[in-house]
Coordinates of all heavy atoms in Angstrom, one line a residue:
M1 N 121.5 58.2 105.8 CA 121.4 58.9 107.0 C 120.2 58.3 107.7 O 120.2 58.2 108.9 CB 121.1 60.3 106.7 CG 121.3 61.2 107.8 SD 122.9 61.2 108.5 CE 122.8 62.4 109.8
E2 N 119.2 57.8 107.0 CA 117.9 57.4 107.6 C 118.4 56.1 108.5 O 117.7 55.8 109.5 CB 116.9 57.1 106.6 CG 115.6 56.7 107.2 CD 114.4 56.6 106.2 OE1 114.4 57.5 105.2 OE2 113.7 55.5 106.3
K3 N 119.2 55.2 107.8 CA 119.5 54.0 108.4 C 120.2 54.3 109.8 O 120.0 53.4 110.8 CB 120.5 53.1 107.5 CG 119.7 52.4 106.3 CD 120.6 51.6 105.6 CE 119.9 50.9 104.5 NZ 120.7 50.0 103.7
I4 N 121.2 55.2 109.8 CA 121.8 55.5 111.0 C 120.9 56.0 112.1 O 121.0 55.6 113.3 CB 123.0 56.6 110.7 CG1 124.0 56.1 109.8 CG2 123.6 57.1 112.0 CD1 125.1 57.0 109.3
I5 N 120.0 56.9 111.7 CA 119.0 57.4 112.8 C 118.2 56.2 113.3 O 117.9 56.1 114.5 CB 118.1 58.5 112.1 CG1 118.9 59.8 111.8 CG2 117.0 58.8 113.0 CD1 118.3 60.6 111.0
N6 N 117.7 55.3 112.4 CA 117.0 54.2 112.9 C 117.7 53.2 113.8 O 117.3 52.8 114.7 CB 116.4 53.5 111.5 CG 115.5 52.3 111.9 OD1 114.7 52.4 112.9 ND2 115.5 51.3 111.1
Y7 N 119.0 53.0 113.4 CA 119.9 52.2 114.2 C 120.1 52.7 115.6 O 120.0 52.0 116.7 CB 121.2 52.0 113.5 CG 122.3 51.4 114.3 CD1 122.2 50.0 114.4 CD2 123.3 52.1 114.9 CE1 123.2 49.3 115.3 CE2 124.3 51.5 115.9 CZ 124.1 50.1 116.0 OH 125.0 49.4 116.7
I8 N 120.3 54.1 115.6 CA 120.4 54.7 117.0 C 119.1 54.7 117.8 O 119.2 54.3 119.0 CB 120.8 56.2 116.8 CG1 122.2 56.3 116.2 CG2 120.8 57.1 118.2 CD1 122.7 57.7 115.8
K9 N 118.0 54.8 117.2 CA 116.7 54.7 117.9 C 116.5 53.2 118.4 O 116.2 53.1 119.5 CB 115.6 55.1 117.0 CG 115.4 56.7 116.7 CD 114.2 56.8 115.9 CE 114.2 58.3 115.5 NZ 113.0 58.5 114.7
L10 N 116.8 52.3 117.5 CA 116.7 50.9 118.0 C 117.7 50.5 119.2 O 117.3 49.8 120.0 CB 116.8 50.0 116.8 CG 115.7 50.0 115.7 CD1 116.0 49.1 114.6 CD2 114.4 49.6 116.4
S11 N 118.9 51.1 118.9 CA 119.9 50.8 120.0 C 119.4 51.5 121.3 O 119.5 50.8 122.4 CB 121.2 51.4 119.7 OG 121.7 50.7 118.4
K12 N 118.8 52.7 121.3 CA 118.4 53.3 122.6 C 117.2 52.5 123.2 O 117.2 52.2 124.3 CB 117.8 54.7 122.2 CG 117.8 55.6 123.3 CD 117.5 57.0 122.8 CE 117.6 58.0 123.9 NZ 117.4 59.4 123.3
L13 N 116.3 52.0 122.3 CA 115.2 51.1 122.9 C 115.7 49.8 123.5 O 115.3 49.4 124.5 CB 114.3 50.7 121.8 CG 113.4 51.8 121.2 CD1 112.5 51.4 120.0 CD2 112.4 52.3 122.3
E14 N 116.7 49.2 122.9 CA 117.3 48.0 123.4 C 118.1 48.3 124.8 O 118.0 47.5 125.8 CB 118.3 47.2 122.4 CG 117.6 46.6 121.4 CD 116.6 45.5 121.7 OE1 117.1 44.6 122.6 OE2 115.6 45.3 121.2
I15 N 118.8 49.4 124.8 CA 119.5 49.7 126.1 C 118.5 50.0 127.3 O 118.7 49.6 128.3 CB 120.2 51.0 125.9 CG1 121.6 50.6 125.1 CG2 120.8 51.5 127.2 CD1 122.5 49.7 125.6
M16 N 117.2 50.5 126.8 CA 116.2 50.8 127.9 C 115.6 49.5 128.5 O 115.1 49.4 129.5 CB 115.2 51.6 127.3 CG 115.7 53.1 127.0 SD 114.3 54.1 126.4 CE 113.4 54.5 127.7
K17 N 115.8 48.4 127.6 CA 115.3 47.1 128.2 C 116.3 46.3 129.1 O 115.8 45.4 129.7 CB 115.0 46.1 127.0 CG 113.9 46.6 126.0 CD 113.8 45.7 124.9 CE 112.9 46.0 123.8 NZ 112.7 45.2 122.7
V18 N 117.5 46.7 129.2 CA 118.4 46.0 130.0 C 118.2 46.2 131.3 O 117.9 47.5 131.8 CB 119.9 46.6 129.6 CG1 121.0 46.0 130.5 CG2 120.3 46.3 128.1
I19 N 118.4 45.4 132.2 CA 118.2 45.3 133.6 C 119.5 45.3 134.3 O 120.2 44.2 134.2 CB 117.2 44.4 134.2 CG1 115.9 44.5 133.6 CG2 117.1 44.6 135.7 CD1 114.9 43.4 133.9
F20 N 120.1 46.4 134.8 CA 121.4 46.4 135.4 C 121.3 46.0 136.7 O 120.2 46.2 137.4 CB 122.0 47.8 135.3 CG 122.3 48.3 133.8 CD1 121.4 49.1 133.1 CD2 123.5 47.9 133.2 CE1 121.7 49.4 131.9 CE2 123.7 48.3 131.9 CZ 122.8 49.2 131.3
P21 N 122.4 45.1 137.2 CA 122.4 44.7 138.6 C 122.5 45.8 139.6 O 123.0 46.9 139.4 CB 123.5 43.8 138.7 CG 124.5 44.3 137.6 CD 123.6 44.8 136.6
T22 N 121.9 45.5 140.7 CA 122.0 46.5 141.9 C 123.3 46.4 142.6 O 124.0 45.4 142.2 CB 120.8 46.3 143.0 OG1 121.0 45.0 143.4 CG2 119.5 46.3 142.3
K23 N 123.6 47.5 143.4 CA 124.9 47.4 144.2 C 125.0 46.2 145.0 O 126.0 45.6 145.1 CB 125.0 48.6 145.0 CG 125.3 49.9 144.2 CD 125.5 51.1 145.1 CE 125.8 52.3 144.4 NZ 126.2 53.5 145.2
E24 N 123.9 45.7 145.6 CA 124.0 44.5 146.4 C 124.2 43.3 145.6 O 125.1 42.5 146.0 CB 122.6 44.5 147.1 CG 122.6 43.3 148.2 CD 121.3 43.1 148.8 OE1 120.6 44.1 149.0 OE2 120.9 42.1 149.3
Q25 N 123.6 43.2 144.5 CA 123.8 42.1 143.6 C 125.4 42.1 143.2 O 126.0 40.9 143.2 CB 123.0 42.0 142.5 CG 121.6 41.8 142.7 CD 120.6 42.0 141.5 OE1 120.9 42.8 140.7 NE2 119.6 41.2 141.5
V26 N 125.9 43.1 142.8 CA 127.3 43.2 142.3 C 128.2 42.9 143.6 O 129.3 42.2 143.3 CB 127.7 44.6 141.9 CG1 129.1 44.8 141.5 CG2 126.9 44.9 140.5
R27 N 127.9 43.4 144.6 CA 128.7 43.1 145.9 C 128.7 41.6 146.3 O 129.8 40.9 146.5 CB 128.2 43.9 147.1 CG 129.1 43.7 148.3 CD 128.7 44.5 149.5 NE 127.5 43.8 150.0 CZ 126.4 44.3 150.2 NH1 126.1 45.6 150.1 NH2 125.3 43.6 150.7
N28 N 127.6 41.0 146.2 CA 127.4 39.7 146.4 C 128.1 38.7 145.6 O 128.8 37.7 145.7 CB 126.0 39.1 146.5 CG 125.3 39.7 147.7 OD1 125.9 40.1 148.8 ND2 123.8 39.7 147.7
A29 N 128.0 39.0 144.2 CA 128.7 38.3 143.2 C 130.3 38.5 143.3 O 131.1 37.5 143.2 CB 128.3 38.8 141.7
F30 N 130.7 39.7 143.7 CA 132.2 39.8 143.9 C 132.7 39.1 145.1 O 133.8 38.4 144.9 CB 132.3 41.4 144.2 CG 133.9 41.7 144.6 CD1 134.9 41.6 143.7 CD2 134.1 41.8 145.9 CE1 136.1 41.9 144.1 CE2 135.5 42.0 146.4 CZ 136.4 42.1 145.4
I31 N 131.9 39.0 146.1 CA 132.3 38.3 147.3 C 132.3 36.7 147.0 O 133.3 36.1 147.4 CB 131.4 38.5 148.6 CG1 131.5 40.0 148.9 CG2 131.5 37.5 149.6 CD1 130.5 40.4 150.2
T32 N 131.3 36.3 146.3 CA 131.3 34.9 145.9 C 132.4 34.5 145.0 O 133.1 33.6 145.1 CB 130.0 34.5 145.1 OG1 128.8 34.9 146.0 CG2 129.8 33.2 144.7
V33 N 132.9 35.3 144.0 CA 133.9 35.1 143.1 C 135.3 35.1 144.0 O 136.2 34.2 143.7 CB 133.9 36.0 141.8 CG1 135.2 36.0 141.3 CG2 132.8 35.9 141.1
F34 N 135.4 36.1 144.7 CA 136.6 36.1 145.6 C 136.7 34.9 146.5 O 137.8 34.4 146.5 CB 136.5 37.4 146.4 CG 137.7 37.6 147.3 CD1 138.9 38.2 146.7 CD2 137.7 37.4 148.7 CE1 139.9 38.4 147.3 CE2 139.0 37.6 149.3 CZ 140.0 38.2 148.8
I35 N 135.6 34.5 147.1 CA 135.9 33.2 147.9 C 136.1 32.0 147.1 O 137.0 31.2 147.5 CB 134.6 33.0 148.8 CG1 134.4 34.2 149.8 CG2 134.6 31.6 149.5 CD1 133.0 34.1 150.5
V36 N 135.6 31.8 146.0 CA 135.9 30.7 145.2 C 137.2 30.7 144.6 O 138.0 29.6 144.7 CB 134.8 30.6 143.9 CG1 135.2 29.6 142.9 CG2 133.5 30.3 144.5
V37 N 137.7 31.9 144.1 CA 139.1 32.1 143.7 C 140.1 31.7 144.8 O 141.1 31.1 144.6 CB 139.3 33.3 143.0 CG1 140.8 33.6 142.8 CG2 138.6 33.5 141.8
T38 N 139.9 32.2 145.9 CA 140.7 32.0 147.1 C 140.8 30.5 147.4 O 141.8 30.0 147.7 CB 140.2 32.7 148.3 OG1 140.2 34.2 148.0 CG2 141.2 32.5 149.5
V39 N 139.6 29.9 147.5 CA 139.6 28.4 147.9 C 140.3 27.7 146.9 O 141.2 26.7 147.1 CB 138.1 27.9 148.1 CG1 138.1 26.4 148.1 CG2 137.5 28.6 149.4
V40 N 140.2 27.8 145.6 CA 140.8 27.1 144.5 C 142.2 27.4 144.5 O 143.1 26.3 144.4 CB 140.1 27.5 143.0 CG1 140.9 27.0 141.9 CG2 138.7 27.0 143.0
S41 N 142.6 28.5 144.7 CA 144.2 28.9 144.8 C 144.8 28.2 145.9 O 145.9 27.7 145.8 CB 144.4 30.4 144.7 OG 143.9 31.0 145.9
L42 N 144.0 28.2 147.1 CA 144.6 27.4 148.3 C 144.8 26.0 148.0 O 145.7 25.3 148.4 CB 143.8 27.7 149.5 CG 143.9 29.1 150.1 CD1 142.9 29.3 151.2 CD2 145.2 29.4 150.4
F43 N 143.7 25.4 147.4 CA 143.8 23.9 147.0 C 144.8 23.7 146.1 O 145.6 22.8 146.2 CB 142.4 23.6 146.3 CG 142.5 22.2 145.8 CD1 142.3 21.1 146.7 CD2 142.5 22.0 144.4 CE1 142.3 19.8 146.2 CE2 142.5 20.8 143.8 CZ 142.4 19.6 144.8
L44 N 145.1 24.4 145.0 CA 146.2 24.3 144.1 C 147.5 24.5 144.7 O 148.5 23.8 144.4 CB 146.0 25.1 142.9 CG 144.8 24.9 142.0 CD1 144.8 26.0 140.9 CD2 145.0 23.5 141.3
A45 N 147.6 25.4 145.6 CA 148.9 25.5 146.4 C 149.3 24.4 147.2 O 150.4 24.0 147.3 CB 148.8 26.8 147.2
L46 N 148.2 23.8 147.9 CA 148.3 22.6 148.6 C 148.8 21.4 147.7 O 149.7 20.7 148.1 CB 147.0 22.3 149.5 CG 147.0 21.0 150.3 CD1 148.0 21.1 151.4 CD2 145.6 20.7 150.9
V47 N 148.1 21.2 146.6 CA 148.4 20.1 145.7 C 149.9 20.3 145.2 O 150.7 19.3 145.2 CB 147.5 20.0 144.6 CG1 148.0 19.2 143.4 CG2 146.0 19.6 145.2
D48 N 150.3 21.5 145.0 CA 151.7 21.8 144.5 C 152.7 21.4 145.5 O 153.6 20.9 145.2 CB 151.7 23.2 144.1 CG 153.1 23.7 143.5 OD1 153.6 22.9 142.7 OD2 153.7 24.7 144.0
A49 N 152.4 21.9 146.8 CA 153.3 21.6 147.9 C 153.5 20.1 148.1 O 154.6 19.6 148.3 CB 152.8 22.3 149.2
I50 N 152.3 19.2 148.1 CA 152.4 17.9 148.2 C 153.3 17.3 147.2 O 154.0 16.4 147.5 CB 151.0 17.3 148.4 CG1 150.3 17.8 149.6 CG2 151.0 15.8 148.2 CD1 148.8 17.5 149.7
M51 N 152.9 17.7 145.9 CA 153.7 17.1 144.7 C 155.2 17.4 144.8 O 155.9 16.6 144.6 CB 153.1 17.5 143.5 CG 151.7 16.9 143.3 SD 150.9 17.5 141.7 CE 151.7 16.4 140.6
S52 N 155.4 18.6 145.2 CA 156.9 19.1 145.4 C 157.6 18.2 146.4 O 158.7 17.8 146.3 CB 156.9 20.5 145.7 OG 156.5 21.4 144.6
F53 N 156.9 18.1 147.5 CA 157.4 17.3 148.8 C 157.7 15.9 148.2 O 158.7 15.2 148.4 CB 156.6 17.4 149.9 CG 157.0 16.4 151.1 CD1 158.1 17.0 151.9 CD2 156.4 15.4 151.4 CE1 158.4 16.4 152.8 CE2 157.0 14.6 152.5 CZ 157.8 15.2 153.2
T54 N 156.6 15.4 147.5 CA 156.6 13.9 147.2 C 157.9 13.8 146.1 O 158.7 12.7 146.2 CB 155.5 13.4 146.6 OG1 154.4 13.7 147.5 CG2 155.5 12.0 146.3
L55 N 158.0 14.6 145.2 CA 159.0 14.5 144.1 C 160.4 14.7 144.7 O 161.3 14.0 144.3 CB 158.7 15.5 143.0 CG 159.6 15.5 141.8 CD1 159.4 14.1 141.1 CD2 159.2 16.6 140.8
S56 N 160.5 15.6 145.5 CA 161.9 15.9 146.2 C 162.3 14.5 147.1 O 163.5 14.4 147.1 CB 161.8 17.1 147.1 OG 161.1 17.0 148.2
N57 N 161.5 13.8 147.7 CA 161.7 12.7 148.3 C 162.1 11.5 147.5 O 162.9 10.7 147.8 CB 160.6 12.2 149.4 CG 160.6 13.2 150.6 OD1 161.6 13.8 150.9 ND2 159.4 13.1 151.2
V58 N 161.5 11.5 146.3 CA 161.7 10.4 145.4 C 163.1 10.6 144.6 O 163.8 9.6 144.5 CB 160.6 10.3 144.2 CG1 161.0 9.4 143.2 CG2 159.3 9.9 144.9
I59 N 163.5 11.8 144.4 CA 164.7 12.0 143.6 C 165.9 12.0 144.7 O 166.1 12.3 145.7 CB 164.6 13.4 142.9 CG1 163.6 13.2 141.8 CG2 166.0 13.8 142.3 CD1 163.5 14.4 140.9

């Protein structure tokens, strides 16, 4: 039982050390990820369209 209590105390101390991001940091990270994913998906769609067009002309 003593080990469990010690584990819980140590876990509580470690959780208190964690610095959680602010709402602004989370929002900025979300916007950044959204923009990067959008740009990459548009690039891949463009490459796919070019390759499909090229392949359909070759065949």
Side-chain angles (χ1 to χ4, degrees):
M1 190 69 175
E2 186 177 322
K3 286 184 177 182
I4 295 174
I5 293 172
N6 190 30
Y7 174 77
I8 292 173
K9 286 181 182 178
L10 290 175
S11 297
K12 203 173 187 180
L13 286 173
E14 287 298 318
I15 290 292
M16 293 177 75
K17 292 179 186 177
V18 174
I19 300 172
F20 293 98
T22 63
K23 285 184 180 181
E24 184 179 331
Q25 290 172 329
V26 171
R27 187 184 71 231
N28 289 340
F30 173 78
I31 291 170
T32 303
V33 168
F34 184 78
I35 290 171
V36 168
V37 167
T38 303
V39 168
V40 169
S41 63
L42 289 174
F43 172 74
L44 290 175
L46 179 65
V47 169
D48 182 50
I50 291 170
M51 292 180 78
S52 295
F53 179 73
T54 305
L55 189 61
S56 66
N57 283 341
V58 169
I59 293 180

